[in-house]
């Protein structure tokens, strides 16, 4: 089953922009596209505007701006909001694992969109009108902009989140029993720890009391914590802590030399001298060499397909 991602249609190469052009992003279509089914959304076209059309911008209050054409000042705020309210309800039924928005757009931008005051001065603090409706309706779903996906760390975090959420969805679709939830949690433990030690502990408490509450209550609480936790970014410090923690599983296996080599490599990674893939590759080597059953099952060591090369730069 492929991951389903909502996406601003122009990023797929669809010629829907105000000038009839597109903003095709090759990483999205050619690399990510191998693992993802996209659900394209162009708010401006879907709410009834033509191609080409006059360019628009946000004007007025940063938190409640209006969507107005640049030259003729036609106000499309109500038209866009009415359509967006309906469309986000439809998208909720699409089983999306996340959304990739087009940056800087008054309709689709996720953050730092220009909002103009009455003197025509812009402040980069706005949110595109559809992006705002989407994030308010589905506040925990992983979201990113195509521009931020060029940052290796943000890219790795987002893709790890959507792959983890997909695995969770598969568990939900199978109608999870208590055992399935405990198994899922056990295999995600180190990955959760790398995002948020607090969420990791709280999810552990939910799982520990699994027999004391109705299953629907448990899965809903667990899902909220999972999505909240995944939104917190991993950092070299958090990853290094997980790697040190992970070394404890090899206490009796590693020779003094192997232990020292691994410690040195984790240290180099923490200081930014090496990418994450280097300590992870060495750990995976020891997992195979010493047949570490618990670590073999940990998604932290294989969170997404290697072909995405996400940890080569993170
Ligand atoms: S940025 Fe959004 S509204 Fe503009 S063309 Fe792309 S999908 Fe359509």
């Amino acid at each position: 089953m492929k991951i389903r991602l909502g996406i601003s249609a122009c990023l797929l190469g669809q010629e829907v922009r105000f000038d009839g052009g597109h903003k095709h992003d090759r990483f999205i279509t050619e690399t990510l596209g191998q693992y993802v089914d996209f659900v394209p959304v162009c708010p401006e076209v879907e709410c009834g505007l033509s191609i080409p059309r006059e360019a628009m911008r946000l004007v007025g209050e940063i938190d409640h701006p209006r969507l107005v054409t640049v030259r003729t000042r036609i106000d499309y705020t109500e038209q866009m909001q009415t359509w967006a309210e309906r469309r986000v309800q439809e998208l909720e039924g699409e089983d999306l694992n996340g959304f990739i928005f087009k940056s800087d757009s008054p309709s689709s931008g996720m953050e730092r969109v220009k909002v103009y005051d009455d003197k025509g001065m812009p402040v980069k603090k706005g949110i595109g009108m559809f992006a705002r409706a989407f994030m308010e309706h589905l506040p925990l779903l992983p979201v990113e902009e195509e521009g931020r996906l060029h940052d290796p760390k943000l890219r790795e975090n987002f893709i790890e989140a959507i792959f983890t959420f997909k695995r969770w969805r598969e568990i939900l679709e199978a109608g999870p029993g208590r055992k399935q939830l405990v198994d899922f949690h056990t295999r995600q433990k180190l990955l959760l720890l790398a995002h948020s030690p607090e969420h990791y502990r709280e999810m552990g408490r939910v799982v520990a009391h699994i027999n004391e509450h109705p299953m629907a209550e448990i899965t809903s609480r667990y899902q909220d914590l999972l999505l909240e936790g995944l939104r917190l970014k991993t950092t070299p410090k958090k990853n290094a802590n997980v790697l040190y923690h992970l070394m404890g599983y090899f206490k009796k296996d590693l020779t003094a030399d192997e232990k020292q080599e691994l410690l040195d490599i984790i240290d180099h990674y923490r200081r930014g001298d090496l990418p994450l893939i280097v300590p992870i590759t060495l750990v995976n080597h020891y997992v195979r060499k010493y047949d570490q059953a618990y670590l073999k099952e940990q998604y932290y060591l294989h969170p997404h397909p290697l072909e995405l090369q996400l940890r080569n730069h993170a």
Side-chain angles (χ1 to χ4, degrees):
M1 192 170 77
K2 279 190 167 183
I3 287 176
R4 283 173 73 72
L5 273 191
I7 188 162
S8 299
C10 55
L11 295 173
L12 296 180
Q14 295 185 13
E15 293 172 337
V16 287
R17 279 171 58 82
F18 71 97
D19 57 2
H22 59 74
K23 281 284 176 182
H24 184 205
D25 186 299
R26 292 200 179 281
F27 167 75
I28 290 174
T29 55
E30 291 170 15
T31 307
L32 201 52
Q34 295 171 48
Y35 306 95
V36 168
D37 279 335
F38 292 113
V39 177
V41 180
C42 176
E44 291 175 16
V45 171
E46 290 187 30
C47 86
L49 304 179
S50 61
I51 311 168
R53 57 189 171 276
E54 195 183 336
M56 287 187 277
R57 64 190 189 185
L58 296 175
V59 297
E61 292 174 46
I62 286 166
D63 292 333
H64 303 283
R66 303 198 67 80
L67 183 64
V68 178
T69 57
V70 174
R71 195 171 41 80
T72 55
R73 302 292 167 99
I74 300 171
D75 189 329
Y76 284 112
T77 309
E78 270 74 36
Q79 186 171 331
M80 175 63 80
Q81 280 175 340
T82 307
W83 166 84
E85 271 168 39
R86 185 176 45 78
R87 187 68 167 115
V88 295
Q89 307 267 358
E90 282 171 15
L91 288 168
E92 189 177 4
E94 288 274 5
D95 290 336
L96 300 180
N97 295 101
F99 204 107
I100 302 177
F101 291 106
K102 169 71 190 74
S103 55
D104 302 327
S105 154
S107 307
S108 302
M110 190 184 102
E111 58 173 35
R112 294 167 51 81
V113 177
K114 285 181 189 157
V115 182
Y116 291 81
D117 65 15
D118 46 12
K119 295 191 185 74
M121 294 302 290
V123 185
K124 286 186 87 174
K125 287 190 175 173
I127 301 175
M129 211 154 262
F130 165 69
R132 181 189 292 275
F134 184 90
M135 292 191 289
E136 284 177 359
H137 191 68
L138 299 164
L140 294 174
L141 215 59
V143 290
E144 258 312 344
E145 288 187 334
E146 94 294 355
R148 285 164 51 98
L149 285 178
H150 295 147
D151 176 314
K153 291 193 173 70
L154 296 177
R155 177 188 289 196
E156 211 250 334
N157 269 278
F158 176 69
I159 290 172
E160 192 171 279
I162 60 175
F163 272 87
T164 307
F165 191 37
K166 170 182 175 268
R167 292 194 288 273
W168 170 248
R169 276 264 166 81
E170 285 168 354
I171 294 278
L172 283 188
E173 269 161 33
R178 290 179 161 78
K179 182 183 174 312
Q180 284 79 3
L181 198 144
V182 172
D183 286 350
F184 176 86
H185 181 68
T186 305
R187 296 189 67 187
Q188 317 295 326
K189 269 186 181 173
L190 297 181
L191 188 141
L192 298 169
L193 192 57
H195 282 266
S196 167
E198 293 74 27
H199 285 79
Y200 163 81
R201 280 192 287 278
E202 185 55 28
M203 291 163 90
R205 278 192 279 274
V206 171
V207 172
H209 295 281
I210 200 165
N211 291 323
E212 296 163 27
H213 302 278
M215 202 52 199
E217 206 180 288
I218 292 275
T219 48
S220 154
R221 175 76 183 129
Y222 188 89
Q223 175 168 303
D224 286 354
L225 286 166
L226 176 69
L227 291 174
E228 260 177 44
L230 289 172
R231 284 180 84 107
L232 300 174
K233 311 284 184 239
T234 60
T235 61
K237 191 172 169 220
K238 288 194 228 174
N239 274 320
N241 285 343
V242 173
L243 291 164
Y244 293 134
H245 171 81
L246 197 149
M247 280 185 75
Y249 290 91
F250 294 111
K251 240 189 315 215
K252 295 188 187 129
D253 301 320
L254 297 185
T255 64
D257 270 0
E258 286 173 336
K259 213 173 274 174
Q260 194 53 51
E261 185 187 16
L262 187 49
L263 274 173
D264 287 348
I265 283 182
I266 297 172
D267 223 37
H268 279 297
Y269 159 69
R270 193 173 48 80
R271 293 204 305 262
D273 304 335
L274 290 173
L276 181 57
I277 191 73
V278 178
I280 292 286
T281 303
L282 187 56
V283 167
N284 272 321
H285 165 69
Y286 292 141
V287 167
R288 284 191 302 274
K289 180 173 174 184
Y290 296 112
D291 198 21
Q292 251 298 335
Y294 174 75
L295 293 181
K296 255 187 209 163
E297 296 289 309
Q298 285 300 308
Y299 276 113
Y300 180 71
L301 297 173
H302 317 275
H304 35 61
L306 263 187
E307 292 80 355
L308 288 171
Q309 300 186 5
L310 296 171
R311 287 173 161 179
N312 297 24
H313 309 285

